[in-house]
């Protein structure tokens, strides 16, 4: 099954942690990292008084069901130093979000698919569209059309970083 994840962080050395997270995912027997976007810099979302974030998106092939994949992402966050007691939308060293899982639409206490705010976040849509220009968000429509609805100043603030991080390429 195909799944898409968002990766981000703005504490410690988050760019290296994004690469470390992808490496750990790729080492999981039921997960193959097919490709990932460049790493982008973006303004904070939700709480503006914090450092800029680094973000990327990756496409996975997995035999894990959605909840098991989510639990794997949470475990990797924890292994890399993330404390879930962090304030919502506040600073964090690493954040791994399950964005979509095939065409699955799910709403439970643990997981909502597709990610309920991905269509509103330029820092998700810009790297996603880098990899998949015709991406369709289940229940929301074309990602490119969603991006057009976001304030251009927010979209313009999502810029690729020079490749100072070791490039992870599957």
């Amino acid at each position: 099954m195909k799944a898409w994840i968002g990766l981000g962080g703005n504490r410690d050395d988050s760019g290296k942690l994004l690469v470390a997270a992808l490496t750990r995912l790729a080492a999981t027997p039921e997960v193959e990292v097919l490709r990932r976007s460049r790493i982008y810099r973006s303004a904070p979302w939700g709480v503006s008084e914090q450092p800029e974030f680094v973000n990327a998106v990756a496409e996975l092939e997995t035999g894990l069901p959605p909840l098991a994949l989510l639990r794997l992402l949470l475990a990797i966050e924890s292994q890399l130093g993330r404390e879930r007691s962090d304030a919502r939308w506040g600073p964090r060293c690493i954040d791994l979000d399950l964005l979509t899982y095939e065409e699955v639409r799910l709403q439970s206490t643990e997981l909502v698919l597709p990610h309920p705010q991905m269509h509103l976040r330029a820092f998700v849509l810009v790297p996603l569209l880098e990899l998949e220009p015709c991406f369709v968000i289940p229940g929301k429509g074309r990602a490119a059309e969603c991006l057009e609805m976001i304030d251009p100043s927010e979209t313009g603030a999502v810029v690729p970083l020079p490749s100072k991080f070791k490039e992870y390429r599957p």
Side-chain angles (χ1 to χ4, degrees):
M1 303 294 247
K2 292 265 195 304
W4 290 83
I5 63 167
L7 305 96
N10 70 339
R11 282 196 351 223
D12 305 324
D13 198 349
S14 292
K16 287 183 180 177
L17 291 176
L18 268 61
V19 173
L22 289 169
T23 301
R24 288 175 189 236
L25 278 167
T28 303
E30 291 190 74
V31 177
E32 180 182 356
V33 178
L34 299 176
R35 53 192 174 146
R36 80 134 166 104
S37 70
R38 292 177 286 178
I39 295 176
Y40 289 79
R41 182 188 75 232
S42 63
W45 194 93
V47 176
S48 59
E49 297 300 318
Q50 60 181 315
E52 290 184 320
F53 277 77
V54 292
N55 297 97
V57 168
E59 179 185 23
L60 310 178
E61 179 72 34
T62 183
L64 297 173
L67 279 173
L69 180 57
L70 174 66
R71 290 179 185 131
L72 172 64
L73 296 176
L74 294 174
I76 291 172
E77 284 182 350
S78 180
Q79 293 164 11
L80 293 175
R82 170 85 187 262
E83 295 179 17
R84 294 307 284 182
S85 61
D86 293 347
R88 184 171 177 89
W89 299 319
R92 68 208 70 162
C93 60
I94 186 76
D95 188 28
L96 303 174
D97 288 329
L98 181 52
L99 301 173
T100 65
Y101 185 96
E102 291 285 336
E103 299 295 318
V104 171
R105 292 172 75 178
L106 174 70
Q107 188 152 4
S108 75
T109 56
E110 285 185 80
L111 178 61
V112 177
L113 287 173
H115 188 287
Q117 295 172 327
M118 70 179 284
H119 68 288
L120 302 173
R121 296 176 171 176
F123 64 84
V124 170
L125 297 173
V126 170
L128 178 67
L129 290 166
E130 172 193 326
L131 296 178
E132 196 68 39
C134 296
F135 193 89
V136 175
I137 302 169
K140 297 294 181 188
R142 291 175 33 92
E145 291 173 4
C146 294
L147 186 61
E148 289 174 5
M149 302 302 289
I150 296 174
D151 184 309
S153 65
E154 185 179 336
T155 302
V158 180
V159 294
L161 287 172
S163 182
K164 71 176 188 175
F165 304 110
K166 178 183 172 201
E167 289 294 318
Y168 175 86
R169 293 289 177 208

